[in-house]
């Protein structure tokens, strides 16, 4: 049996069924071995070239810093790299091989003396590298029979160069260390190019049929950066490679311009994939060789440029992609970041969905855990039993009362419990019980205490059940909101990103600079996005152009509105599907008995998905207290609606909170009308509110609802009414104070409908003023109850836009 070798795939799957991550617990051994061998071979080749690289004579300060770098990142590869460095130096000169070997031995000796078998820490490694290379450089001077001053000069050059090279190579730790997703900084890119160019300088002096291999390697390196990062990455690499080759004597000063200019042209042709950068490098290097650098004898340089371009074409695509993932602002790195963000987003959506499931299970558990109501007879029997155990169990007449005359005694105790429940703790016992009981006061006191505690316990249990219902309702609503969030996160990002890029191209085509485009929804008739543009003079007019372009792009009418932005440098437009209907609203109110503050409150909430909620609340009583109650109810309603809660959940939550306040006189009515501006469907939800009216020409439609105000009963069951609104309809919501201001002999609803039918108003403000004035005119200017009238006029969206223009 092979324990622990069961291959199980761990996967994250989105709602669309797309596998986001597949990570086998046990990878194939062949893949791991192949990757390890490829990385080791690349490091050995790099070590071999760095061992050959030198500055002056046999001074080679490049090998030891690279060995230290591998000791920090790949300690198992470090011994092989040491050997490769010595072998590479031996292919150059014996003195250089001696210096490389001596510097490595000095470093290992100092490290063993100071830190034992563990390698030196990264911050202290430089304290060992500098003296090791300084000593090795001094020994090279002794090897070559130089004088004392020359030996000291060699040691100083070796120490200073090793200090610089060590810090430059240490900047490339993110490449050799653990894989990370962040892009390299500019300093790290320069250090990476120096490391690669130094390796290329290891080929200085090596020719093949007159072709300088160092220049060919530097050219291929430049084209590699051009393919991976474009002109911005290739130009500095070409210049640095040329400078290092000039320093070690592997090139002439003109080759610096040749490599840099060839890298620029190659980077500009990077969109042509494999052939474009090579062609651009060959073109740029060839032009400089013909007309600037080597105009008398350009043939050798042209061969070198051509060979470098051909060699760059042969570079594997995996190497280009791996380098591109390290460079900022490259497509490969963007794809890596996008893939990482997609995985994180899908994982977050999965966790949120699990949280929603947990919320729903908790809500069901709380609803299912509601205790059954205790029957009154059972409760009375319990109280009788507790009183008899406390008083009668120690009485000498217990056998006579509870065994011989059980029915009589139990009936008399029941009568005593009923008397205490009705008359309180001081209520007298029944006369029949007092005739034969020798401890009537003790019995009365025990029954009174049991009844009092029992009633309090019942009240507490009732409040507990109400609280559990409130929590269950909130958990259910939270589960709905969280599931909606998970669905938004679980959307196919690639399709959305493609839409955003296509729309950006459309806006660029008309000459509009766009900073950012963010899609929020692409559901038909519910398209919602944000476009950010520069806030140059006259940017307010861009909204019309953005709306037209988005309308043509999505194939439906869209409208752009300017949003407030905290920065004055950018302007943000919210673009949404244009609704087929618009609402014009107005509100008028009057306080009871001429008070300046009305107990009624109103709210108009834009839910954000093409729906408008009109809300009216009438608090208990009048004045500041009633206004605070109604205002708090509507404030909570607005908050819940903005978070995405359903209207029914909002009403149930408000009712539960008010009922748990513990104030018997604290309740408020709710009158809610939800209007869909796309379809014109309206849903009316009334909780203790007065009926509403819809005016359609001369016809008036009465809309009523059922239910007590919120805060009275522990639970409220809304009964919504759905109806279709048409263009030019008038929706009128009002508090019950309006119906009290009527002629005494008239029916209140008939009177209100008659007022609405004969009103000749053209705007909502004129209608609310007319209704309020007629109501106040009946019984003077001091109404008996608060009056609030909310009117919404349904208009065609095009008509509204025309008026605004």
């Amino acid at each position: 049996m092979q324990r622990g070798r069961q291959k199980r795939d761990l996967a994250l799957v989105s709602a669309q069924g797309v596998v986001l991550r597949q990570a086998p617990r046990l990878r194939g051994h062949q893949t791991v071995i192949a990757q390890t061998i490829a990385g080791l071979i690349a490091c050995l080749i790099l070590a071999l070239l760095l061992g050959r690289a030198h500055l002056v004579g046999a001074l080679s300060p490049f090998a030891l810093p690279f060995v230290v770098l591998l000791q920090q990142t790949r300690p198992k590869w470090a011994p092989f790299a040491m050997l490769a460095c010595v072998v590479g130096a031996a292919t150059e000169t014996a003195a250089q091989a001696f210096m490389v070997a001596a510097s490595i031995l000095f470093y290992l000796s100092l490290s063993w003396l100071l830190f034992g078998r563990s390698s030196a820490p990264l911050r202290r490694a430089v304290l060992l590298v500098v003296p090791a290379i300084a000593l090795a450089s001094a020994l090279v001077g002794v090897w070559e029979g130089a004088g004392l001053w020359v030996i000291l000069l060699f040691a100083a050059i070796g120490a200073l160069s090793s200090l610089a090279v060590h810090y430059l190579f240490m900047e490339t730790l993110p490449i050799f260390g653990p894989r990370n997703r962040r892009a390299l900084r500019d300093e790290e890119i320069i250090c990476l190019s120096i490391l690669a160019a130094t390796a290329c300088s290891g080929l200085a002096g090596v020719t093949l049929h007159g072709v300088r291999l160092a220049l060919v390697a530097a050219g291929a390196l430049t084209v590699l950066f051009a393919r991976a990062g474009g002109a911005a990455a290739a130009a500095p690499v070409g210049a640095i490679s040329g400078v290092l080759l000039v320093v070690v004597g592997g090139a002439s000063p003109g080759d610096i311009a040749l490599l840099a200019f060839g890298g620029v042209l190659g980077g500009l042709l990077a969109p042509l994939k494999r052939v474009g950068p090579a062609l651009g490098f060959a073109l740029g290097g060839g032009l400089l060789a013909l007309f600037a650098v080597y105009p008398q004898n350009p043939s050798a340089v042209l061969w070198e440029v051509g060979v470098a371009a051909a060699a760059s074409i042969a570079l594997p695509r995996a190497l280009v992609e791996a380098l591109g993932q390290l460079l900022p602002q490259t497509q490969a790195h963007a794809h890596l970041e996008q893939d990482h963000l997609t995985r994180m987003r899908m994982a977050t959506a999965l966790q949120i969905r699990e949280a929603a499931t947990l919320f729903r299970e908790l809500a069901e558990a709380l609803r299912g855990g509601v205790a059954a109501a205790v029957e009154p007879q059972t409760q009375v029997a319990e109280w009788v039993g507790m009183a008899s155990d406390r008083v009668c169990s120690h009485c000498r007449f217990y056998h006579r009362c509870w065994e011989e005359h059980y029915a009589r005694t139990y009936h008399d105790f029941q009568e005593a419990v009923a008397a205490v429940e009705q008359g309180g703790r001081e209520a007298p016992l029944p006369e029949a019980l007092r005739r034969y009981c020798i401890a009537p006061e003790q019995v009365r006191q025990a029954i009174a205490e049991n009844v009092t505690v029992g009633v309090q316990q019942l009240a507490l249990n009732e409040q507990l059940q109400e609280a559990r219902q409130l929590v269950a309702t909130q958990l259910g609503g939270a589960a709905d909101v969280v599931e909606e969030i998970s669905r938004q996160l679980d959307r196919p990002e690639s399709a959305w990103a493609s839409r955003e890029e296509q729309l950006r191209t459309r806006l660029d085509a008309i000459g509009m600079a766009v900073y950012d485009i963010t899609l929020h929804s692409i559901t038909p008739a519910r398209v919602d996005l944000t476009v950010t543009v520069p806030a140059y003079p006259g940017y307010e007019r861009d909204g019309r152009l953005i709306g037209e372009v988005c309308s043509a792009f999505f194939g439906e009418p869209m409208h752009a509105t300017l949003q407030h932005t905290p920065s004055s440098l950018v302007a943000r437009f919210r673009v949404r599907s244009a609704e087929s209907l618009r609402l014009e609203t107005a509100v008028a109110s009057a306080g009871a008995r001429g008070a300046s503050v009305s107990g009624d409150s109103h709210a108009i909430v834009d839910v954000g998905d093409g729906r408008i909620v009109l809300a009216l609340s009438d608090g208990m009583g009048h004045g500041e207290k009633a206004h605070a109650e109604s205002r708090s109810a509507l404030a909570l309603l607005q908050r819940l609606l903005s978070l995405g809660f359903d209207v029914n959940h909002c009403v149930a939550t408000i009712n539960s909170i008010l009922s748990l306040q513990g104030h018997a006189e604290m309740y408020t009515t709710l009158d809610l009308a939800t209007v869909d501006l796309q379809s014109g469907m309206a849903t009316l939800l009334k909780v203790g509110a007065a009926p509403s009216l819809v005016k359609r020409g001369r016809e008036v439609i009465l809309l009523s609802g059922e239910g007590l105000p919120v805060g009275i009963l522990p639970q409220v069951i809304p009964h919504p009414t759905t109806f279709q609104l048409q263009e030019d309809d008038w929706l009128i919501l009002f508090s019950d104070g309006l119906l009290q201001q009527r002629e005494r002999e008239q029916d209140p609803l008939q009177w209100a409908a008659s007022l609405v039918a004969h009103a000749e108003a053209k705007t909502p403000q004129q209608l609310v003023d007319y209704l309020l004035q007629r109501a106040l005119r009946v019984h003077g200017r001091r109404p008996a109850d608060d009056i609030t009238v909310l009117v919404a006029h349904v208009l065609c969206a095009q008509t509204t836009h025309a008026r605004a223009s």
Side-chain angles (χ1 to χ4, degrees):
M1 294 178 63
Q2 295 181 352
R3 302 178 63 182
R5 292 183 176 270
Q6 298 177 353
K7 296 183 180 179
R8 266 186 290 173
D9 290 343
L10 307 177
L12 292 178
V13 183
S14 68
Q16 288 80 11
V18 180
V19 177
L20 305 174
R21 177 170 61 87
Q22 263 188 334
R25 188 161 297 185
L26 186 61
R27 292 186 176 182
H29 291 290
Q30 296 180 354
T31 304
V32 175
I33 293 174
Q35 291 179 353
T36 304
I37 292 176
L40 179 59
I41 291 175
C43 284
L44 291 180
I45 294 175
L46 192 58
L48 189 70
L49 295 176
L50 291 176
R52 286 181 49 86
H54 60 277
L55 287 178
V56 179
L59 291 182
S60 179
F62 305 108
L64 181 57
F66 181 70
V67 170
V68 175
L69 174 63
L70 287 184
Q71 274 192 331
Q72 301 294 333
T73 56
R74 308 284 182 178
K76 294 182 179 180
W77 294 358
F80 302 100
M82 296 177 189
L83 181 61
C85 288
V86 176
V87 172
T91 60
E92 188 67 23
T93 62
Q96 185 168 336
F98 172 75
M99 177 183 175
V100 171
S103 63
I104 293 175
L105 289 177
F106 286 149
Y107 172 80
L108 294 178
S109 301
L110 293 174
S111 177
W112 182 80
L113 290 174
L114 295 178
F115 304 103
R117 294 184 178 181
S118 60
S119 59
L122 180 60
R123 294 183 178 179
R124 300 183 181 181
V126 65
L127 301 178
L128 307 181
V129 172
V130 173
I133 293 183
L135 290 175
S137 301
L139 289 180
V140 169
V142 175
W143 174 292
E144 294 182 351
L148 178 62
W149 291 106
V150 176
I151 293 174
L152 295 178
L153 180 61
F154 273 23
I157 294 175
L160 294 176
S161 59
S162 64
L163 180 64
V165 172
H166 175 79
Y167 278 113
L168 290 176
F169 282 11
M170 286 300 131
E171 287 292 330
T172 60
L173 273 175
I175 303 171
F176 295 92
R179 182 67 178 275
N180 61 76
R181 299 182 183 277
R182 73 169 181 86
L184 297 179
R185 302 190 304 270
D186 293 339
E187 298 81 3
E188 294 172 341
I189 296 175
I190 296 298
C191 294
L192 173 62
S193 61
I194 291 175
L195 174 62
T198 304
C200 293
S201 67
L203 295 174
V206 181
T207 60
L208 182 63
H209 298 292
V211 176
R212 294 172 295 176
L213 295 185
L215 188 62
V216 172
L221 176 65
T222 303
V223 179
L224 173 63
F225 273 81
R227 289 176 60 182
V237 172
I240 292 172
S241 302
V243 170
L244 287 179
L245 290 180
V246 171
V247 170
V248 300
S252 62
D255 293 329
I256 301 175
L258 186 147
L259 291 172
F261 185 64
V264 170
L265 288 186
L268 293 178
L269 296 180
L272 298 180
K273 305 299 181 183
R274 186 184 295 267
V275 180
L279 182 61
F281 177 80
L283 180 61
L287 289 176
L288 283 183
L290 286 173
F291 301 106
V293 182
Y294 303 101
Q296 284 77 21
N297 187 19
S299 58
V301 180
L302 290 177
W303 272 106
E304 293 168 347
V305 171
V307 172
S312 66
I313 295 177
L315 292 175
R317 182 179 178 182
L319 179 62
V320 179
E321 291 181 352
L323 180 59
Q325 292 176 357
L326 296 173
L327 300 178
Q329 299 179 355
T330 60
Q331 188 175 9
H333 182 71
H335 289 166
L336 181 66
E337 288 289 334
Q338 188 65 38
D339 180 67
H340 176 66
L341 292 176
T342 301
R343 295 174 187 270
M344 293 297 296
R345 184 168 51 80
M346 294 304 179
T348 304
L350 182 61
Q351 293 177 351
I352 291 176
R353 197 175 298 113
E354 292 176 354
T357 304
L358 176 61
F359 289 163
R360 205 172 297 283
E361 291 176 355
L362 290 175
E364 294 299 328
L366 288 173
R367 292 192 182 99
V370 176
V374 180
E375 294 292 335
Q377 295 179 354
T378 304
Q379 188 66 55
V380 170
E382 182 179 354
W383 291 340
V384 169
M386 293 172 62
S388 64
D389 291 342
R390 178 178 174 182
V391 179
C392 302
S393 60
H394 305 291
C395 181
R396 64 179 182 273
F397 297 109
Y398 180 82
H399 177 75
R400 183 193 67 184
C401 296
W402 288 101
E403 292 183 4
E404 296 180 359
H405 304 284
Y406 173 81
R408 181 200 64 183
T409 306
Y410 185 82
H411 177 269
D412 293 340
F413 267 68
Q414 283 184 324
E415 293 294 330
V417 169
V420 171
E421 284 184 324
Q422 295 178 1
R425 298 176 63 92
E426 303 299 329
L429 293 178
E431 186 64 27
L433 181 61
R434 296 179 66 87
R435 282 198 300 268
Y436 61 84
C437 182
I438 63 174
E441 289 300 322
Q442 289 83 346
V443 172
R444 184 185 61 79
Q445 184 178 1
I447 291 177
E449 291 179 359
N450 291 334
V451 171
T452 303
V453 174
V455 171
Q456 292 177 353
Q457 186 66 35
L458 288 176
L460 289 176
N461 290 337
E462 185 178 356
Q463 290 185 356
L464 177 61
Q465 300 306 328
E466 292 178 9
R468 295 181 66 166
Q469 288 295 329
L470 171 62
V471 175
T473 301
Q474 288 305 299
L475 286 175
D480 294 338
V481 175
V482 169
E483 283 184 350
E484 179 61 28
I485 295 175
S486 68
R487 283 192 292 269
Q488 292 293 329
L489 289 174
D490 206 17
R491 66 190 187 189
E493 189 66 26
S494 58
W496 289 52
S498 176
R499 291 286 189 92
E500 293 174 357
E501 191 61 30
Q502 294 174 7
L503 181 58
R504 183 190 297 272
T505 303
R506 294 280 188 95
L507 293 173
D508 289 340
I510 63 173
M512 181 176 295
V514 178
Y515 284 155
D516 182 59
I517 297 177
T518 304
L519 275 173
H520 306 293
S521 172
I522 54 175
T523 307
R526 291 288 187 270
V527 180
D528 187 5
L529 68 149
T530 302
V531 180
T532 305
V533 299
Y536 50 78
Y539 68 88
E540 296 88 354
R541 296 187 295 270
D542 287 346
R544 182 179 59 84
L545 295 176
I546 293 175
E548 292 177 355
V549 172
C550 292
S551 299
F553 181 76
F554 291 101
E556 61 182 68
M558 302 193 68
H559 179 63
T561 56
L562 180 63
Q563 290 185 322
H564 173 71
T565 55
S567 173
S568 60
L569 301 179
V570 298
R572 186 174 291 111
F573 289 92
R574 191 67 178 264
V575 189
R576 295 176 176 174
S577 297
E579 296 87 358
S580 58
L581 300 175
R582 292 281 179 177
L583 293 183
E584 288 187 357
T585 60
V587 181
S589 61
R593 302 181 182 89
S596 59
V597 178
S598 172
D600 303 337
S601 298
H602 72 278
I604 302 174
V605 184
D606 186 354
V607 180
D609 56 354
R611 293 182 301 156
I612 300 293
V613 176
L614 309 175
L616 191 62
S617 177
D618 184 2
M620 173 61 183
H622 317 292
E624 293 285 351
K625 180 181 178 182
H627 178 76
E629 294 173 2
S630 61
R631 185 68 259 171
S632 63
L634 289 187
L636 181 59
L637 173 69
Q638 289 180 281
R639 188 71 177 270
L640 293 174
L641 288 175
S642 63
L643 291 176
F645 280 81
D646 183 71
V647 175
N648 293 335
H649 276 114
C650 297
V651 173
T653 300
I654 296 172
N655 178 79
S656 300
I657 291 177
L658 292 181
S659 63
L660 290 176
Q661 294 283 338
H663 303 293
E665 296 182 353
M666 186 173 183
Y667 61 86
T668 181
T669 67
L670 281 179
D671 195 357
L672 306 177
T674 305
V675 182
D676 190 334
L677 299 179
Q678 287 289 347
S679 61
M681 294 299 298
T683 302
L684 200 63
L685 187 62
K686 292 184 175 293
V687 185
S692 299
L693 301 175
V694 174
K695 180 182 179 182
R696 183 171 296 164
R698 289 291 180 180
E699 180 186 4
V700 177
I701 304 172
L702 177 65
L703 302 172
S704 59
E706 301 177 357
L708 295 174
V710 293
I712 296 180
L713 298 178
Q715 297 183 14
V716 60
I717 303 177
H719 299 281
T721 302
T722 303
F723 57 96
Q724 178 71 45
L725 287 176
Q726 301 177 5
E727 184 183 353
D728 202 31
D729 280 355
W730 300 76
L731 175 61
I732 301 99
L733 308 180
F734 50 83
S735 60
D736 57 355
L738 179 71
L739 301 180
Q740 297 180 14
Q741 301 299 114
R742 70 188 192 285
E743 299 294 345
R744 299 300 183 187
E745 65 276 4
Q746 290 183 338
D747 180 80
L749 293 179
Q750 292 293 334
W751 174 80
S754 176
L755 285 182
V756 171
H758 293 88
E760 298 294 338
K762 296 183 178 180
T763 64
Q765 190 63 49
Q766 293 178 357
L767 182 56
V768 296
D769 291 341
Y770 170 77
L771 295 177
L772 185 61
Q773 293 299 326
R774 287 296 302 269
L776 294 177
R777 192 181 304 169
V778 176
H779 299 292
R781 297 290 176 174
R782 298 175 62 86
D785 194 5
D786 300 312
I787 302 175
T788 299
V789 182
L790 173 61
V791 173
H793 190 195
V794 182
L795 297 173
C796 181
Q798 288 75 9
T799 305
T800 305
H801 293 324
R803 290 182 181 178
S805 302

